[in-house]
Amino acid sequence: MARIVSVGTAVPDYTLPQEEARDFARNLFKDSWTDIERYLTIFENASIRTRRLSRPRAWFEDERTFSERNRAYTEEACRLGEKAIRRCLDPVGISPEEVDHLFFISTSGLATPSIDARMVNRLGMNPHVKRTPIWGLGCAGGAAGLSRAYEYARAFPKSRVVLLAVELCSLTFRRNDRTKSNLVATSLFADGAASVLVVGEKASVPAEVNRCPKVLDAMSTTWPDSLDVMGWEVADDGLKVVFSRDIPHIVREKVMPAVECFLNRSSLTLNQVERYIAHPGGKKVLTAYEKAMGLQANELIHSHSILGEYGNMSSVTVLFVLERELKEKHKQGTYGLLTALGPGFSSELMLMQW
């Protein structure tokens, strides 16, 4: 049985208070929208206090080319990725050279050789380490990548698998995009990296790993005819964000049936799940989760907390929530449900047990 052993996280150096983000948006959008003040309320309603950016605010005041922003992505992704992996592995006494498979998740930049290849050099990993870069899963990527790591560790029970997710959403910002979707993105998105160590049941690891949660199952769902709900459009000057205002409604309508179907595979009901690790796509999304699944706000306390402190870091965010959850004490036998939504429109679910 594969287990989740540790999580390491990293964020860029530049902090952006939400008040400054609102002022930035006001200056940028005011000439395009006569009623800009009415729309700026989304910054207060987002329940975000601070975010981290890969470059200082002043850097975004000037127009940047797609290639310039992508060079910044590659540079910062390598720096944060190395830091996150070391913070994941060092506490459990495993060296990068001992990793058997490295999965890399991102949707906010492009790099060939991919970032995982660069990690091999920066971390001194085994030159024979297997690498799987996965692009395009958006906010669902952290959960999906964790599922792929679990499946590999289950198939190869002696393996140590590392998942690395890096999203530098701020570097996709396009100053000339004055759409509401871009305004919403400006109020939500941030940068960060997270790494997770997953091991197979026969892997050589410290004895305390037996107290870590084991993964019981994972399920992906892609709903038909929903490609326009969330994602990117590739424009001449970069990646143009696509958002549907119907996302909270879709969550309320679609999530519960998927969760019930998933738990039924393990002969469980939602009442038997005690811990929830949900990707905080935004305050409205968390509220929709709570209504759809009949949860109290304190049952998503770590999701709300991470959203407030870091904003929406796309695929990375749910792994920040997982890191907080792993620091909690759990009774033996406690079930936990990890969930995230992303482009497709899609759902990723994982069931774990302490």
Side-chain angles (χ1 to χ4, degrees):
M1 186 69 66
R3 291 184 183 269
I4 297 172
V5 177
S6 62
V7 180
T9 58
V11 291
D13 297 331
Y14 303 101
T15 300
L16 180 70
Q18 189 72 335
E19 295 82 0
E20 286 191 29
R22 181 194 58 209
D23 293 342
F24 174 86
R26 176 187 288 111
N27 292 333
L28 180 65
F29 287 88
K30 64 183 180 181
D31 293 333
S32 301
W33 298 11
T34 57
D35 53 351
I36 184 61
E37 293 299 329
R38 181 166 69 91
Y39 287 98
L40 288 176
T41 57
I42 63 174
F43 286 83
E44 286 78 20
N45 296 335
S47 292
I48 295 171
R49 298 184 299 278
T50 57
R51 286 178 277 162
R52 297 297 186 95
L53 306 183
S54 298
R55 294 293 184 267
R57 174 186 165 179
W59 191 85
F60 298 93
E61 300 286 352
D62 298 324
E63 182 62 33
R64 305 286 176 174
T65 64
F66 187 17
S67 60
E68 183 179 7
R69 284 180 275 130
N70 202 69
R71 283 195 299 272
Y73 165 85
T74 302
E75 174 187 320
E76 189 70 3
C78 288
R79 189 180 76 85
L80 293 181
E82 178 182 355
K83 186 178 292 187
I85 290 176
R86 292 194 185 279
R87 288 176 176 175
C88 175
L89 297 181
D90 288 351
V92 293
I94 292 177
S95 72
E97 191 176 12
E98 296 176 285
V99 173
D100 299 299
H101 198 135
L102 174 60
F103 287 86
F104 175 67
I105 300 290
S106 192
T107 306
S108 48
L110 305 172
T112 304
S114 51
I115 302 300
D116 46 285
R118 299 164 199 255
M119 289 297 101
V120 173
N121 295 302
R122 292 178 70 105
L123 292 163
M125 302 180 82
N126 188 323
H128 303 297
V129 65
K130 296 178 176 62
R131 299 184 292 111
T132 303
I134 305 175
W135 195 89
L137 293 172
C139 291
L146 191 58
S147 294
R148 303 295 84 77
Y150 146 67
E151 290 162 354
Y152 187 89
R154 184 181 62 179
F156 299 94
K158 293 182 179 181
S159 62
R160 304 180 190 93
V161 185
V162 166
L163 164 68
L164 173 63
V166 179
E167 299 291 4
L168 307 179
C169 303
S170 70
L171 298 177
T172 68
F173 179 72
R174 299 163 57 252
R175 285 182 57 85
N176 294 325
D177 182 0
R178 307 300 168 84
T179 63
K180 186 176 180 181
S181 289
N182 197 33
L183 180 65
V184 172
T186 305
S187 74
L188 286 176
F189 283 118
D191 302 347
S195 179
V196 185
L197 173 64
V198 180
V199 301
E201 61 183 351
K202 296 182 180 180
S204 177
V205 290
E208 57 266 25
V209 167
N210 290 327
R211 297 194 296 270
C212 298
K214 56 188 176 182
V215 182
L216 303 181
D217 197 7
M219 186 179 84
S220 302
T221 303
T222 302
W223 290 290
D225 304 318
S226 60
L227 298 178
D228 58 349
V229 171
M230 179 190 298
W232 300 118
E233 290 180 6
V234 180
D236 291 339
D237 59 344
L239 302 173
K240 178 181 179 180
V241 67
V242 175
F243 267 140
S244 169
R245 63 184 299 175
D246 294 330
I247 293 175
H249 171 75
I250 295 172
V251 173
R252 290 191 297 270
E253 183 180 80
K254 301 289 189 181
V255 165
M256 192 58 183
V259 169
E260 289 176 334
C261 173
F262 176 56
L263 293 178
N264 186 58
R265 302 195 322 191
S266 299
S267 300
L268 295 174
T269 66
L270 198 61
N271 291 333
Q272 294 171 273
V273 177
E274 296 182 48
R275 309 300 300 184
Y276 297 89
I277 304 103
H279 166 66
K283 181 181 178 181
K284 289 184 177 180
V285 173
L286 290 178
T287 299
Y289 265 123
E290 290 160 358
K291 290 182 177 179
M293 299 168 66
L295 306 178
Q296 301 297 316
N298 62 355
E299 293 185 272
L300 296 181
I301 187 171
H302 294 316
S303 296
H304 283 284
S305 177
I306 292 297
L307 180 65
E309 294 176 41
Y310 298 101
N312 184 344
M313 298 171 285
S314 190
S315 68
V316 173
T317 327
V318 74
L319 304 180
F320 271 61
V321 180
L322 177 62
E323 181 185 39
R324 291 274 174 93
E325 185 62 45
L326 292 183
K327 293 177 181 178
E328 298 278 0
K329 292 183 178 180
H330 303 84
K331 296 181 297 183
Q332 185 175 0
T334 297
Y335 290 106
L337 180 66
L338 185 145
T339 176
L341 299 166
F345 189 59
S346 60
S347 162
E348 295 289 338
L349 295 166
M350 174 175 282
L351 180 65
M352 58 188 72
Q353 185 178 36
W354 279 266

